[in-house]
Amino acid sequence: MSSIYPSYFARFYDLIYSNIRSDIDTDYFLKKIREANGPVLEAGVGTGRFFTEALKQGADIYGIDISPAMLDILKLKIDRKYHNRLTIQDISDFSFRRKFKLILAPFRVFMHITEPREQLATLNHVYDNLGKGGLFIFDLFIPDPELLAKGMNEVVDFEGEYASGETLRRITSSHSDLINQITDVTFRFEWTEKSRNFKETWNTRLRFCFRFELEYLLMKSKFNQFQIFGDYLENPLTPTSKDFVVVCRK
Ligand SMILES: C[S@@+](CC[C@H](N)C(=O)[O-])C[C@H]1O[C@@H](n2cnc3c(N)ncnc32)[C@H](O)[C@@H]1O
C-alpha cells in the first residue's frame, strides 16, 4: 500500500475531483489563503486545486507533496517562475527557512498518516513551522458506521470522455479494519487511448479517526488552541456532519 499517487491517478485527478469535490471545499480554502496575509504552505498540494487560483490571486504560497506525478501535473498549469515554490517533501519532516502564517492540508492528506506516533510528530512539526498566531487547517472524513461495517462494493464514481473519443471509467471500493482504524481503498482505472484499452489498479490506506480521538491527539500535540468544525462553513459538528474541519492556532 502506498501514499505515492501513480501517474494515471494524477493524470485523471482534476477531471474526477473537479466533479465530486471542488464545490465542497474550494471557497473555504481560498478564503483562508486570502485571509492569511503572509506566507502559506499547502501540504499535499497535489495537482493544485487551490494552489493555481491562489497564485493568480497573488498569494505568497508554497506547496509540498510526496507524489512527483501530482506535482508534474501542477507544474504544467503554472508559469516556470513559480516552479521553485513546489518541492517533493513529506508533511511530517519538511524543511523551509521561513515560518508560515497558514499551513493547510486539504482533502484528507492527514489520513495518509497511519501511525499514531507519526500523526503526533506531524502535528508538532507543522506547529514548529508556523509563526506565532499561525493556523494549521486540515480535514478528515467522519467515519460512517455503516460503511465501516459493510465496506463499499465497487462503485463507478466516474464515467465519461476525458478527451474527444477517449473514455475513462473509475471504479472504487473500500473495506475497513476496525481494530486498526484503517480503510483500504482500491481504485480501478479503465481508459482508452488511440484504440487501445488500459487498466490499472491502485490501493491506498487511510487512517480514520473518531471525534474524541482527534481531540485527544490535538490535546497531546503542541497546539493548545484548536476547533473541530463539521463542514467548510465552520458550522459545529452534528450527527450528520461528513467532514472534520480542524483549525489549530499556534
Ligand atoms: C487527496 S490528494 C489532495 C490534493 C490537494 N490537496 C487537493 O485538495 O486536491 C492527497 C495528496 O496528499 C499527498 N500526500 C499523501 N501523503 C503525504 C505526505 N505524507 N506528505 C505530503 N503529501 C502527501 C498525495 O500525494 C496527494 O497529492
Side-chain angles (χ1 to χ4, degrees), residues 3-5 13 17 21 25 42-50 64-67 70 89-92 105-109 112-113 118:
S3 307
I4 298 186
Y5 286 34
Y13 184 92
Y17 291 101
R21 188 69 193 173
D25 56 7
E42 185 178 348
V45 63
T47 61
R49 263 185 336 121
F50 314 115
I64 59 169
D65 203 289
I66 57 165
S67 303
M70 296 291 271
Q89 297 200 68
D90 196 301
I91 188 174
S92 62
F107 200 18
R108 305 173 183 166
V109 176
H112 282 295
I113 301 162
E118 235 185 291

Side-chain angles (χ1 to χ4, degrees), residues 46-187:
T47 61
R49 263 185 336 121
F50 314 115
F51 190 90
T52 46
E53 182 54 32
L55 264 187
K56 272 188 210 146
Q57 293 182 9
D60 181 16
I61 188 166
Y62 298 80
I64 59 169
D65 203 289
I66 57 165
S67 303
M70 296 291 271
L71 289 191
D72 287 347
I73 299 283
L74 170 47
K75 283 181 181 164
L76 293 174
K77 300 184 203 168
I78 58 174
D79 195 292
R80 282 189 78 83
K81 69 180 181 206
Y82 297 123
H83 285 193
N84 61 2
R85 289 176 172 264
L86 298 170
T87 46
I88 301 285
Q89 297 200 68
D90 196 301
I91 188 174
S92 62
D93 69 357
F94 61 86
S95 145
F96 281 90
R97 265 190 245 120
R98 63 181 57 71
K99 300 276 186 216
F100 293 96
K101 279 271 175 90
L102 168 68
I103 299 180
L104 56 154
F107 200 18
R108 305 173 183 166
V109 176
F110 194 78
M111 299 185 80
H112 282 295
I113 301 162
T114 52
E115 297 300 324
R117 268 176 214 280
E118 235 185 291
Q119 290 178 316
L120 190 58
T122 298
L123 289 173
N124 289 340
H125 187 67
V126 168
Y127 180 94
D128 290 340
N129 282 275
L130 285 170
K132 201 169 170 346
L135 298 180
F136 176 41
I137 306 181
F138 64 104
D139 55 9
L140 302 88
F141 67 66
I142 297 181
D144 170 343
E146 200 179 325
L147 212 53
L148 291 188
K150 293 187 182 159
M152 186 176 81
N153 289 326
E154 296 195 331
V155 167
V156 177
D157 57 9
F158 184 88
E159 185 157 30
E161 281 196 337
Y162 71 88
S164 177
E166 304 286 15
T167 59
L168 168 70
R169 222 159 85 95
R170 191 176 81 166
I171 300 115
T172 303
S173 58
S174 69
H175 69 273
S176 297
D177 167 350
L178 294 182
I179 202 66
N180 292 306
Q181 291 187 209
I182 295 289
T183 296
D184 283 324
V185 190
T186 301
F187 298 101

